mmCIF file of all heavy atoms in Angstrom:
data_model
loop_
_atom_site.group_PDB
_atom_site.id
_atom_site.type_symbol
_atom_site.label_atom_id
_atom_site.label_comp_id
_atom_site.label_asym_id
_atom_site.label_seq_id
_atom_site.Cartn_x
_atom_site.Cartn_y
_atom_site.Cartn_z
ATOM 1 N N ARG A 142 35.146 -57.587 75.154
ATOM 2 C CA ARG A 142 35.623 -58.849 74.491
ATOM 3 C C ARG A 142 34.625 -60.012 74.845
ATOM 4 O O ARG A 142 34.123 -60.062 75.960
ATOM 5 C CB ARG A 142 37.010 -59.185 75.000
ATOM 6 C CG ARG A 142 38.014 -58.183 74.549
ATOM 7 C CD ARG A 142 39.381 -58.463 75.035
ATOM 8 N NE ARG A 142 39.800 -59.741 74.518
ATOM 9 C CZ ARG A 142 41.025 -60.113 74.348
ATOM 10 N NH1 ARG A 142 41.969 -59.306 74.721
ATOM 11 N NH2 ARG A 142 41.342 -61.284 73.936
ATOM 12 N N THR A 143 34.426 -60.899 73.888
ATOM 13 C CA THR A 143 33.608 -62.008 74.095
ATOM 14 C C THR A 143 34.433 -63.193 74.576
ATOM 15 O O THR A 143 35.628 -63.215 74.548
ATOM 16 C CB THR A 143 32.817 -62.425 72.847
ATOM 17 O OG1 THR A 143 33.825 -62.800 71.842
ATOM 18 C CG2 THR A 143 32.015 -61.280 72.299
ATOM 19 N N GLU A 144 33.733 -64.209 75.038
ATOM 20 C CA GLU A 144 34.449 -65.406 75.584
ATOM 21 C C GLU A 144 35.305 -65.993 74.522
ATOM 22 O O GLU A 144 36.411 -66.493 74.803
ATOM 23 C CB GLU A 144 33.435 -66.423 76.061
ATOM 24 C CG GLU A 144 34.027 -67.622 76.817
ATOM 25 C CD GLU A 144 34.706 -67.230 78.116
ATOM 26 O OE1 GLU A 144 34.262 -66.236 78.761
ATOM 27 O OE2 GLU A 144 35.750 -67.821 78.476
ATOM 28 N N GLY A 145 34.935 -66.037 73.219
ATOM 29 C CA GLY A 145 35.744 -66.579 72.188
ATOM 30 C C GLY A 145 36.997 -65.816 71.979
ATOM 31 O O GLY A 145 38.048 -66.352 71.594
ATOM 32 N N ASP A 146 37.031 -64.509 72.243
ATOM 33 C CA ASP A 146 38.238 -63.703 72.110
ATOM 34 C C ASP A 146 39.259 -63.979 73.174
ATOM 35 O O ASP A 146 40.430 -63.681 73.024
ATOM 36 C CB ASP A 146 37.866 -62.185 72.200
ATOM 37 C CG ASP A 146 37.005 -61.735 71.026
ATOM 38 O OD1 ASP A 146 36.996 -62.362 69.989
ATOM 39 O OD2 ASP A 146 36.338 -60.694 71.179
ATOM 40 N N LEU A 147 38.794 -64.525 74.298
ATOM 41 C CA LEU A 147 39.670 -64.719 75.443
ATOM 42 C C LEU A 147 40.457 -66.039 75.396
ATOM 43 O O LEU A 147 41.328 -66.306 76.198
ATOM 44 C CB LEU A 147 38.861 -64.644 76.741
ATOM 45 C CG LEU A 147 38.181 -63.315 76.974
ATOM 46 C CD1 LEU A 147 37.367 -63.417 78.242
ATOM 47 C CD2 LEU A 147 39.181 -62.176 77.104
ATOM 48 N N SER A 148 40.068 -66.949 74.484
ATOM 49 C CA SER A 148 40.719 -68.237 74.431
ATOM 50 C C SER A 148 42.089 -68.131 73.836
ATOM 51 O O SER A 148 42.388 -67.238 72.999
ATOM 52 C CB SER A 148 39.860 -69.212 73.642
ATOM 53 O OG SER A 148 39.770 -68.811 72.311
ATOM 54 N N ASP A 149 42.972 -69.002 74.217
ATOM 55 C CA ASP A 149 44.327 -69.057 73.670
ATOM 56 C C ASP A 149 44.299 -69.549 72.242
ATOM 57 O O ASP A 149 43.557 -70.472 71.902
ATOM 58 C CB ASP A 149 45.227 -69.934 74.498
ATOM 59 C CG ASP A 149 45.545 -69.393 75.843
ATOM 60 O OD1 ASP A 149 45.402 -68.158 76.022
ATOM 61 O OD2 ASP A 149 45.922 -70.134 76.750
ATOM 62 N N ASN A 182 50.627 -65.429 72.904
ATOM 63 C CA ASN A 182 49.291 -65.439 72.274
ATOM 64 C C ASN A 182 49.280 -64.429 71.106
ATOM 65 O O ASN A 182 48.733 -64.707 70.079
ATOM 66 C CB ASN A 182 48.215 -65.110 73.271
ATOM 67 C CG ASN A 182 47.906 -66.314 74.181
ATOM 68 O OD1 ASN A 182 48.233 -67.410 73.831
ATOM 69 N ND2 ASN A 182 47.281 -66.004 75.322
ATOM 70 N N ARG A 186 48.786 -65.410 67.210
ATOM 71 C CA ARG A 186 47.717 -64.869 66.364
ATOM 72 C C ARG A 186 48.264 -64.182 65.067
ATOM 73 O O ARG A 186 47.642 -64.217 64.042
ATOM 74 C CB ARG A 186 46.924 -63.853 67.171
ATOM 75 C CG ARG A 186 45.961 -64.490 68.147
ATOM 76 C CD ARG A 186 45.063 -63.512 68.783
ATOM 77 N NE ARG A 186 44.196 -64.203 69.764
ATOM 78 C CZ ARG A 186 44.368 -64.235 71.094
ATOM 79 N NH1 ARG A 186 45.417 -63.548 71.589
ATOM 80 N NH2 ARG A 186 43.567 -64.854 71.879
#
Side-chain angles (χ1 to χ4, degrees):
R142 293 179 63 155
T143 62
E144 189 64 34
D146 294 337
L147 299 176
S148 64
D149 289 340
N182 285 340
R186 284 188 181 101

